[in-house]
Amino acid sequence: DAGITQSPRHKVTETGTPVTLRCHQTENHRYMYWYRQDPGHGLRLIHYSYGVKDTDKGEVSDGYSVSRSKTEDFLLTLESATSSQTSVYFCAISESGGIGYGYTFGSGTRLTVV
Amino acid sequence: AQSVTQLGSHVSVSEGALVLLRCNYSSSVPPYLFWYVQYPNQGLQLLLKYTTGATLVKGINGFEAEFKKSETSFHLTKPSAHMSDAAEYFCAVSVTGGGSYIPTFGRGTSLIVHP
């Protein structure tokens, strides 16, 4: 979807290095989310934001931090990457917190930690 | 807390055959229900949703789903499968909880369409 972009699309990094993934939206939606997708687990919520500087943890938040200093950008940081964080990461946005309209997803970032 | 169960990690059909992907949910309050589709190397795309009102909802690409409260189900169907329907399908349930409507996703069902 043209209204939401993720960068980078692919990244290979070494264990122990910090990594930041970016989600950028042009829809001016209030809610933004970070999910990871792993085989057999579906999508699991890492963190989400309900406004600038307002964030909360999801079910798999350990080892991850987020920041949202402006409406359009939501950053996901792996402070010290581990092999268990190898995954595909998706950002999603929502106008109304998910009800009514559902989510719009980005195309994903494939992260490999070696 | 809500939960979603998708029966069958893989479903295989022939082109032109009926598609039926099963989703059951658990929720103590009226749910909002969604089906998403994911094509290879892409993000998820909303297929259809149930919020309130008519229990049979129609979505894109000829898919539809029926909310059955008594069976706590929201199965996805399509009368005639097309090769382009081959993808991963996710069911999701969302309920209000402290003002949040964070959905819970199922583990996904991979639809395989044979010529």
Side-chain angles (χ1 to χ4, degrees):
Chain A
D1 190 284
I4 176 171
T5 55
Q6 292 184 232
S7 60
R9 289 296 312 275
H10 302 271
K11 186 171 182 65
V12 178
T13 191
E14 293 185 350
T15 299
T17 61
V19 177
T20 295
L21 309 182
R22 181 181 184 235
C23 178
H24 178 77
Q25 62 146 328
T26 58
E27 305 297 321
N28 200 36
H29 285 346
R30 177 182 175 189
Y31 297 86
M32 299 185 75
Y33 311 81
W34 277 107
Y35 285 88
R36 60 178 290 173
Q37 183 178 28
D38 304 287
H41 291 277
L43 272 79
R44 293 180 291 174
L45 182 65
I46 305 171
H47 283 280
Y48 67 101
S49 171
Y50 46 95
V52 174
K53 292 185 169 47
D54 292 323
T55 64
D56 206 349
K57 296 179 180 180
E59 64 176 299
V60 291
S61 60
D62 287 348
Y64 301 94
S65 62
V66 290
S67 66
R68 191 170 179 197
S69 58
K70 45 186 178 179
T71 299
E72 58 265 35
D73 289 324
F74 193 33
L75 304 180
L76 177 70
T77 298
L78 291 66
E79 299 292 345
S80 177
T82 67
S83 58
S84 65
Q85 294 176 312
T86 292
S87 185
V88 181
Y89 291 85
F90 286 99
C91 177
I93 60 175
S94 171
E95 181 175 357
S96 58
I99 59 170
Y101 302 100
Y103 285 6
T104 300
F105 282 84
S107 298
T109 295
R110 184 173 297 274
L111 177 68
T112 303
V113 183
V114 298
Chain B
Q2 69 267 27
S3 66
V4 175
T5 301
Q6 290 185 240
L7 299 177
S9 58
H10 294 83
V11 170
S12 182
V13 300
S14 298
E15 191 173 21
L18 171 72
V19 175
L20 171 61
L21 304 183
R22 300 178 186 272
C23 173
N24 288 89
Y25 70 91
S26 173
S27 171
S28 58
V29 298
Y32 300 96
L33 296 160
F34 306 85
W35 275 100
Y36 288 85
V37 61
Q38 183 182 30
Y39 299 103
N41 299 314
Q42 295 185 24
L44 279 70
Q45 177 184 0
L46 183 64
L47 260 184
L48 49 79
K49 62 183 185 288
Y50 168 78
T51 53
T52 58
T55 57
L56 181 63
V57 293
K58 297 185 183 298
I60 62 173
N61 302 336
F63 284 93
E64 61 182 36
E66 186 171 11
F67 169 56
K68 293 187 176 180
K69 183 178 179 181
S70 61
E71 299 177 8
T72 61
S73 69
F74 191 56
H75 302 331
L76 181 70
T77 61
K78 182 175 180 178
S80 177
H82 192 274
M83 295 296 292
S84 61
D85 293 327
E88 189 88 13
Y89 292 81
F90 293 90
C91 182
V93 61
S94 180
V95 300
T96 179
S100 168
Y101 298 87
I102 304 293
T104 299
F105 286 85
R107 296 189 174 189
T109 298
S110 178
L111 177 64
I112 302 162
V113 183
H114 297 286

